[in-house]
Amino acid sequence: MTSRDLALVLGTRPEIVKLAAVTRLLGPRARVVWTGQHWDPALTTAFFTGYGLPAPHHRLDGVGGEPRGRQIGRMIAELSRHFAEHPPAAAIVQGDTNTAAAGALAAHCAGVPVVHVEAGLRSFDRDMPEEANRRVIAPLADLHCAPTPTAAAHLLREGIDPRQILVTGNTVVEATLATLPDEPAARAVLARYGVTPENYLLATVHRPENTDDPDRLARLLAQLGGLDLPVLLPLHPRTRAAAVGAGLLAGGGRLRPIEPLDHAAFLALARHCRLLVSDSGGVQEECTVLKRPLVVVRNSTERPEAVRAGFARLARPGPELDAALRESLADPGAAARLAEVPSPYGDGQASRTIAAAVRARYPQRPPRPRGAAAGADGVAESEEPTESADRQGVPRKACQPPVGAWPTLRVRSLRSVD
């Protein structure tokens, strides 16, 4: 086992953002394994550099751009080989990406304990690929870092041992606060795009449910373009390809397609817009930190906490979206009201809580002294046996929420907003 014995399996830019602080806190024990699910080398390098992370210690090739099944299969094969050759003390995966599912499966097959950050989210929507990934990871994980009591309750209802669940908050809170530009820098971003505070909307669209159906995408873009305020739309590659292919970007009224934004520029624009419109999961979390209202353009959400707290409203393209946009824009007091509402995703200490739990649960083992004789079970006579007799040899320690940070969990039937 090498000194970098905690493998953080990353493959998308949101995973970099959400695990950057955890990676830094784990210090020399952190081993960054990059799958390349997001395959833009320049943008990915900028994200690693921007978040103060080293270049990946191990990279997979030929993964980006593959269809989902082949992509996950290739990642499992390559990660399994890496874990067999360089077994870590634990593998840390984040969220619900193909990378997270493949990392958990490969680690489990290699006998490596799995830590799942952002565990327990559920949309109860089988059409969402991410829902399948989340449900694949849950029975494989040894430590479930649930961002909210709702997420923890989902895991308890599914039969996960409560000793394996730690309510941590969501790392997006500290990532957002650390990345948000100061006021002069934010105003410079707004000036670059010719907008002023509270007088524009910021929209993002990238999910297959919105981009793969030309009629739905056309209806959505037309509704955004028909508003009275300018709408900035950073174009995801999938959205650009779908919109150009369907001839939907020729004339969009107040809709202003722009190039993809780096995270800091996006947060600056999001902080000062009148209204956010998005199908992104991360934006549903970020809006609770930025104190901005959001219309979620989706069929379902795995983040009902933002809806219940009053930050977000779910709407499908068509009459639902028309009503949500009209009513949200007609509420001038929304930003002031939301400024007083705490984020349901914690107080910005999630990364510290997670890093501390990982270090405590998977302590670094000292190297075996040269010449130490092995006993009948293959363990050197000078070494203490582990507490657990399970396959991983990892003690099963009880995990509790930070004292006073979260309400007592009650197992009850919880459904996402639909």
Side-chain angles (χ1 to χ4, degrees), residues 26-292:
L26 293 176
R29 294 190 64 187
R31 180 199 312 173
V32 177
V33 179
W34 178 249
T35 69
Q37 182 178 331
H38 281 181
W39 67 94
D40 184 324
L43 195 53
T44 297
T45 299
F47 265 67
F48 274 105
T49 303
Y51 282 91
L53 298 181
H57 303 101
H58 182 74
R59 293 177 182 264
L60 275 59
D61 295 319
V63 168
E66 288 286 322
R68 181 168 177 247
R70 288 209 297 268
Q71 185 178 81
I72 292 175
R74 179 168 292 185
M75 285 193 283
I76 292 172
E78 294 298 321
L79 290 170
S80 295
R81 184 177 299 112
H82 176 69
F83 290 151
E85 294 173 355
H86 308 282
I92 302 169
V93 299
Q94 198 280 329
D96 49 25
T97 64
N98 293 346
T99 289
L105 280 162
H108 181 74
C109 291
V112 173
V114 175
V115 177
H116 187 199
V117 175
E118 205 174 271
L121 276 63
R122 297 292 181 267
S123 68
F124 306 98
D125 183 349
R126 290 174 58 87
D127 291 333
M128 292 180 65
E130 295 89 346
E131 182 74 359
N133 289 343
R134 290 188 283 264
R135 290 181 178 270
V136 164
I137 298 169
L140 306 178
D142 298 85
L143 176 59
H144 304 257
C145 297
T148 65
T150 295
H154 290 157
L155 295 167
L156 290 170
R157 188 174 61 186
E158 293 171 11
I160 301 298
D161 187 333
R163 293 173 298 173
Q164 295 177 275
I165 301 171
L166 175 63
V167 180
T168 62
N170 196 305
T171 61
V172 75
V173 176
E174 52 263 42
T176 300
L177 294 173
T179 308
L180 182 66
D182 62 20
E183 196 59 22
R187 296 296 175 125
V189 173
L190 269 65
R192 188 190 319 158
Y193 292 97
V195 293
T196 57
E198 301 287 339
N199 288 315
Y200 65 96
L201 284 75
L202 180 63
T204 70
V205 179
H206 77 283
R207 293 189 57 79
E209 68 190 71
N210 287 323
T211 61
D212 291 358
D213 181 340
D215 291 337
R216 179 168 172 138
L217 181 60
R219 187 163 58 249
L220 171 55
L221 296 181
Q223 289 180 276
L224 293 175
L227 297 172
D228 293 333
L229 293 175
V231 181
L232 299 183
L233 177 67
L235 282 176
H236 187 281
R238 178 191 292 123
T239 311
R240 178 180 290 279
V244 170
L248 299 177
L249 294 181
R254 305 304 299 272
L255 187 64
R256 291 175 47 187
I258 60 177
E259 292 301 311
L261 299 165
D262 64 40
H263 195 213
F266 176 83
L267 292 177
L269 289 169
R271 176 67 184 86
H272 291 285
C273 70
R274 172 82 69 85
L275 178 66
L276 285 159
V277 182
S278 181
D279 57 11
S280 163
V283 174
Q284 294 177 62
E285 299 161 345
E286 290 166 340
C287 76
T288 72
V289 182
L290 300 172
K291 312 305 180 186
R292 294 285 104 179

